Amino acid sequence: MNTKFTKLCRRPLAAAIATLALGGVSGAAVAQAKPGVSDDVVKIGLLLDLSGVYADIAGQGTATAVQMAIDDFGGKVNGKKIELVFADHNNKADIAAAKAREWFDTAKVDAVLDVAGSATALSALEVARAKHKIMFFNGPGVQRITTDLCAPTAVHYAYDTYALANVTAKAMAKRGGDTWYFMTVDWAFGVSLQKAAEDVVKEAGGKVLGSVKHPSSAPDFSSYVLQAQASGAKVIGLANSGADTVNSIKAAQEFGLMKSGKQKLAGLLLFINDIHAIGLPTAQGLILSEAFYWDLNPETRAWSKRYFEKSKRMPNMIQAGAYSSTMQYLNAIKATGTDDTDTVMKKLKSTPINDFFAKNGKIREDGRMVHDMYLFEVKKPSESKSPWDYYKVLSTVPGDQAFMPLSKSTCPLVKK
């Protein structure tokens, strides 16, 4: 184990995860303990993008949210210390897989509760499958986590490409957006998101006029925007995320793509962080879907205020989902008296999720956590009354309508 590397990646939360006094474990807890609970520590790992294109949406902010959950839980579960470790995978699949393997084999990590990015998520997923360890996904969107590559110990929690495309593309189609052109990041996530949106457009009777792929962290989006503009499509679908989405929108604004009123941008994966970076004068009028917004109700506002105090920014759906999923995992351990993989997974899949993030959420047999999704429109500057007041709620889409139905799933765990 690379001790120096692990210490470096844990340093930002060093104060927050200082060593806790170890309490005694009751006789009842010992009696319930199953194989795999031997070190008196519940260790949680996070594989994040701390320095790359997704750092703003799925980096340090995710670690902050998970540490909040651990602190709110009291730092212990059934008398056992809860410890958090996290690392930067540099958006490289081989690094993500190697770190997950190291954590499971030698660092006694019990579960990895997020992996940022889709390519890295899929590589880490295979390690979790081989090691029979629990892995949650809030940051990645790729649909394969719950279809052909589903695993009995994996949970896709916050969102996925199917739900994003289903909610956003349907809304745009109803507004007359019957011709589409896509600007797509050339990664597994982008390809998955474009395919999901294309299916929705075609089912609605629309046409896809073409697409252009760009590398992640592209330095210049001018040529891609010009190709999209020349297509004449009514809707330009952005099948990318993070800094790539921000730079795509900025480039579209610079070239006047939206000024004519003949073309509209559809952000298939946009976060409140992106809107904050772009600014309301440029982002106003964008249609998007998310699983969470800080200003939905008193519960979301209360939690988000606490998160803001720690991070100085409002949370996105990945960060809110990371907190929620961590609490679900710890509550399952508390209820069963063990962190044994099979026992905890059985409890997770049989327990409804009701918190500030989701109401009546449920983890299905394919690992998909089904919950409501929301369709938003970005406010005009004149409509925003305070900092981070960016969204208008257009509609709430029930989970069973937003996410892929099991009847369409290719997950081998689904009984047909």
Side-chain angles (χ1 to χ4, degrees):
M1 179 177 174
N2 190 330
T3 304
K4 183 177 180 181
F5 178 71
T6 302
K7 287 182 178 178
L8 176 64
C9 292
R10 289 171 58 187
R11 190 172 299 151
L13 289 183
I17 55 176
T19 303
L20 301 172
L22 181 63
V25 181
S26 69
V30 172
Q32 294 175 14
K34 298 190 176 186
V37 182
S38 58
D39 57 357
D40 288 328
V41 175
V42 174
K43 188 177 286 190
I44 293 168
L46 301 171
L47 287 165
L48 306 173
D49 177 5
L50 298 174
S51 56
V53 67
Y54 304 131
D56 192 44
I57 59 174
Q60 181 69 44
T62 301
T64 298
V66 172
Q67 187 60 50
M68 278 179 63
I70 293 172
D71 292 344
D72 288 349
F73 214 82
K76 294 181 181 180
V77 54
N78 295 339
K80 299 180 186 297
K81 180 174 66 173
I82 307 166
E83 184 178 347
L84 173 65
V85 295
F86 62 99
D88 189 347
H89 55 44
N90 300 121
N91 285 313
K92 295 182 179 179
D94 57 340
I95 292 178
K99 180 53 65 173
R101 189 174 296 108
E102 174 191 316
W103 279 351
F104 291 144
D105 285 348
T106 64
K108 298 183 179 180
V109 168
D110 296 294
V112 172
L113 296 191
D114 204 5
V115 185
S118 290
T120 44
L122 294 179
S123 65
L125 172 61
E126 292 311 306
V127 177
R129 188 196 313 276
K131 303 296 181 181
H132 197 61
K133 291 288 189 176
I134 291 173
M135 190 167 282
F136 276 72
F137 300 95
N138 287 286
V142 64
Q143 184 70 21
R144 297 186 70 191
I145 293 171
T146 55
T147 54
D148 61 310
L149 295 182
C150 70
T153 60
V155 179
H156 206 175
Y157 203 84
Y159 72 99
D160 60 32
T161 53
Y162 183 97
L164 294 173
N166 190 30
V167 175
T168 305
K170 274 185 179 178
M172 295 300 289
K174 288 180 180 179
R175 293 173 173 228
D178 54 3
T179 56
W180 286 63
Y181 187 92
F182 292 91
M183 290 171 54
T184 304
V185 63
D186 195 10
W187 277 17
F189 160 76
V191 174
S192 177
L193 185 53
Q194 179 182 328
K195 174 63 168 58
E198 285 182 341
D199 290 344
V200 172
V201 171
K202 291 173 182 176
E203 286 178 8
K207 295 181 179 180
V208 176
L209 304 185
S211 66
V212 61
K213 289 186 171 62
H214 66 78
S216 177
S217 302
D220 185 3
F221 282 83
S222 301
S223 64
Y224 311 121
V225 170
L226 289 173
Q227 290 179 66
Q229 207 167 21
S231 73
K234 294 179 182 177
V235 181
I236 310 303
L238 301 179
N240 49 24
S241 63
D244 287 336
T245 303
V246 171
N247 292 329
S248 297
I249 295 172
K250 287 182 176 180
Q253 193 270 342
E254 289 173 5
F255 282 90
L257 187 146
M258 297 170 283
K259 286 184 178 179
S260 67
K262 295 180 180 179
Q263 292 182 304
K264 293 184 179 296
L265 285 180
L268 296 174
L269 178 55
L270 273 168
F271 297 92
I272 195 168
N273 314 66
D274 302 326
I275 305 305
H276 189 71
I278 297 165
L280 291 184
T282 298
Q284 61 181 310
L286 283 171
I287 304 296
L288 65 133
S289 56
E290 284 210 61
F292 174 84
Y293 178 46
W294 72 269
D295 201 19
L296 282 175
N297 54 56
E299 283 184 279
T300 59
R301 286 190 285 272
W303 183 83
S304 299
K305 181 180 179 181
R306 293 201 300 120
Y307 180 89
F308 185 88
E309 290 171 354
K310 293 181 178 296
S311 64
K312 305 310 176 188
R313 62 180 62 195
M314 284 300 179
N316 61 34
M317 64 178 167
I318 291 175
Q319 293 146 3
Y323 177 98
S324 175
S325 56
T326 300
M327 293 298 277
Q328 296 305 314
Y329 174 68
L330 294 175
N331 274 316
I333 294 174
K334 181 179 180 180
T336 60
T338 177
D339 56 8
D340 171 69
T341 294
D342 290 333
T343 305
V344 171
M345 283 305 302
K346 182 178 180 180
K347 183 64 178 177
L348 285 166
K349 290 184 176 180
S350 64
T351 305
I353 298 166
N354 285 292
D355 60 11
F356 74 95
F357 180 77
K359 298 300 180 188
N360 298 314
K362 177 177 175 57
I363 300 172
R364 298 189 313 200
E365 56 199 281
D366 61 348
R368 174 68 257 164
M369 201 281 269
V370 178
H371 53 80
D372 292 349
M373 293 288 291
Y374 304 92
L375 182 70
F376 298 112
E377 181 178 349
V378 178
K379 290 182 175 182
K380 299 176 183 178
S382 60
E383 295 173 318
S384 179
K385 305 303 181 184
S386 60
W388 298 92
D389 177 23
Y390 295 156
Y391 292 167
K392 291 188 290 188
V393 181
L394 298 182
S395 64
T396 300
V397 182
D400 58 357
Q401 297 177 30
F403 292 95
M404 176 182 283
L406 285 177
S407 59
K408 291 185 177 181
S409 177
T410 57
C411 171
L413 300 175
V414 176
K415 299 175 182 179
K416 298 284 181 110

